[in-house]
Amino acid sequence: MEAPVQSVGRWLPAPGARRLWRAAALVALVAGFWAPLQAQTPAPVAGGPRSVNEWLMRMHEASRQRAYMGTLVVSAGASMSVSRIWHVCDGEQQMERVDTLTGAPRTTIRRNNEVITFAPESKTAWVEKREALGLFPELLRTPSNVIPEFYGVNETGTDRVAGYLADVVEIQPKDALRFGFRIWSEKKTGLVVKLQTLGEQGAVLEQVAFSELQLDAPVSMGKLTRLMKDTKGYDVQRPTLKKTTAEAEGWRLKEPVPGFLPMSCRIRELAEAAGGNVAPMQWVFSDGLASVSLFVEPFDPQRHGQEKALVNGATHSLTRRLGAYWVTVLGEVPTATLRRFAYALERTR
């Protein structure tokens, strides 16, 4: 999804990068950020149903020593995008390449938290270090695993996706502050081959699926590394973001949103900040599966219009003016959840 509000766009170094990485949501789901699960997940009871943690751990482990490549199709409402993905992991290092096959051409290569996105038409490359991908996302990068407290699991049968037989599992929210998920997990390996984000009454808000998949594919980590370093002829952009805390920047939530814990807070360096004196801030929250970003910047009547709420598939956004500041809340959660964040935010100085 393109940034729904102009001000948010400045935080997305590559235009369209968010949709590109949502196309790689299956990779994000099984990425190697889930280490805390292992320590907290008991061994499954023989013959009994798996818990939500056990299902997620199985999906995670499916990618630890496995290489694959395939074609991903993302559909959200009337829009559809297609990407080609190559993934490889040696148990320690994870790498993948994602090429867009629809819309503006983009190639994104990730090695663990290092990401570079190439835009061949403009000959521009954006280099980032991402603490999380922000897609079916930040699994267990929270200090404690709260997923079972806010989500349940239901096994609903089997189905075929891209020629593979898969278990179908629904991860169901226990309140109205988050969406649910329906996941197709390849029966032999556990690899995620299809994912739906579910809204009220099980309505499908967005879908990501492999239309074609080759397991144990000959994907070379060395070749991906060389491609990642080959920036000859490109204008390389490196956004300058600094880690901080909301408290240090003079912000807090009057009351927490249940289940959502603060993950990170970043500001742009002052030289790049709007007006040259107040740095825009991004404050990220997660419940382990869903993520929300709070963007705060000085209000600018030339750029900021009416307060509004927008929807694009599973991604919702909300904007409001708060005194001398403009607040944008963005996430894969219901609009009511975004309102909880937007109206709990207050200035402390």
Side-chain angles (χ1 to χ4, degrees):
M1 171 184 171
E2 300 290 346
V5 183
Q6 182 181 358
S7 58
V8 175
R10 297 183 312 168
W11 289 89
L12 302 178
R18 190 174 182 86
R19 175 166 292 284
L20 176 64
W21 278 106
R22 195 157 71 234
L26 304 184
V27 174
L29 173 63
V30 295
F33 292 132
W34 295 19
L37 250 179
Q38 204 156 17
Q40 301 183 36
T41 303
V45 178
R50 292 185 175 96
S51 68
V52 63
N53 275 358
E54 290 161 358
W55 270 110
L56 294 175
M57 193 64 199
R58 171 173 164 78
M59 297 169 193
H60 160 60
E61 287 298 325
S63 74
R64 294 290 291 171
Q65 301 290 341
R66 188 169 298 279
Y68 56 84
M69 58 185 179
T71 303
L72 279 173
V73 179
V74 182
S75 58
S79 65
M80 184 183 72
S81 59
V82 183
S83 299
R84 184 73 178 166
I85 184 168
W86 296 258
H87 173 87
V88 63
C89 179
D90 61 7
E92 298 292 334
Q93 299 286 319
Q94 294 228 18
M95 290 198 72
E96 64 250 354
R97 170 182 174 177
V98 182
D99 287 357
T100 59
L101 302 181
T102 54
R106 293 282 188 274
T107 294
T108 300
I109 303 174
R110 179 178 75 94
R111 179 176 57 205
N112 296 333
N113 68 340
E114 300 174 15
V115 181
I116 184 167
T117 300
F118 296 91
E121 289 182 339
S122 64
K123 303 301 289 185
T124 305
W126 291 267
V127 177
E128 304 171 78
K129 283 198 173 182
R130 298 185 184 175
E131 294 183 354
L133 295 179
L135 307 163
F136 190 156
E138 286 77 272
L139 270 163
L140 299 177
R141 290 176 60 80
T142 51
S144 59
N145 175 17
V146 298
I147 292 176
E149 184 178 348
F150 294 96
Y151 295 91
V153 66
N154 183 35
E155 303 171 24
T156 63
T158 59
D159 194 8
R160 271 167 47 88
V161 177
Y164 293 91
L165 190 63
D167 293 308
V168 185
V169 180
E170 289 189 1
I171 297 181
Q172 302 159 330
K174 296 182 179 181
D175 59 26
L177 295 177
R178 55 211 94 228
F179 294 136
F181 304 94
R182 185 178 295 121
I183 304 172
W184 283 252
S185 172
E186 200 274 323
K187 203 167 186 66
K188 291 182 180 179
T189 65
L191 189 72
V192 176
V193 292
K194 182 176 177 179
L195 182 152
Q196 292 177 339
T197 304
L198 307 177
E200 293 183 2
Q201 299 180 338
V204 178
L205 304 177
E206 190 166 292
Q207 177 171 280
V208 186
F210 280 107
S211 62
E212 173 270 327
L213 174 66
Q214 180 183 347
L215 294 175
D216 299 318
V219 182
S220 168
M221 187 171 289
K223 182 177 180 180
L224 291 182
T225 300
R226 289 191 296 273
L227 290 172
M228 192 174 194
K229 294 178 179 179
D230 186 9
T231 59
K232 185 177 180 180
Y234 279 81
D235 176 21
V236 179
Q237 302 289 323
R238 301 176 185 271
T240 52
L241 302 177
K242 183 175 69 173
K243 288 186 179 181
T244 183
T245 66
E247 292 78 8
E249 302 306 316
W251 295 96
R252 70 165 188 167
L253 293 184
K254 287 179 286 188
E255 57 182 35
V257 180
F260 287 90
L261 301 177
M263 305 292 296
S264 67
C265 188
R266 300 179 298 172
I267 59 171
R268 284 197 174 277
E269 296 291 354
L270 289 179
E272 297 186 4
N277 53 6
V278 179
M281 181 186 77
Q282 181 189 20
W283 194 7
V284 180
F285 296 81
S286 178
D287 68 356
L289 291 180
S291 65
V292 172
S293 286
L294 268 170
F295 300 89
V296 184
E297 60 187 324
F299 176 73
D300 181 352
Q302 300 299 317
R303 293 188 301 110
H304 301 136
Q306 292 183 331
E307 298 181 357
K308 65 178 72 173
L310 297 175
V311 177
N312 188 318
T315 302
H316 292 210
S317 69
L318 180 73
T319 57
R320 71 177 295 235
R321 185 176 177 180
L322 185 57
Y325 296 90
W326 185 253
V327 178
T328 302
V329 195
L330 179 73
E332 292 79 25
V333 295
T335 299
T337 308
L338 300 184
R339 292 189 188 280
R340 296 277 290 264
F341 279 99
Y343 288 89
L345 183 68
E346 69 175 3
R347 189 76 172 148
T348 58
R349 65 168 186 253

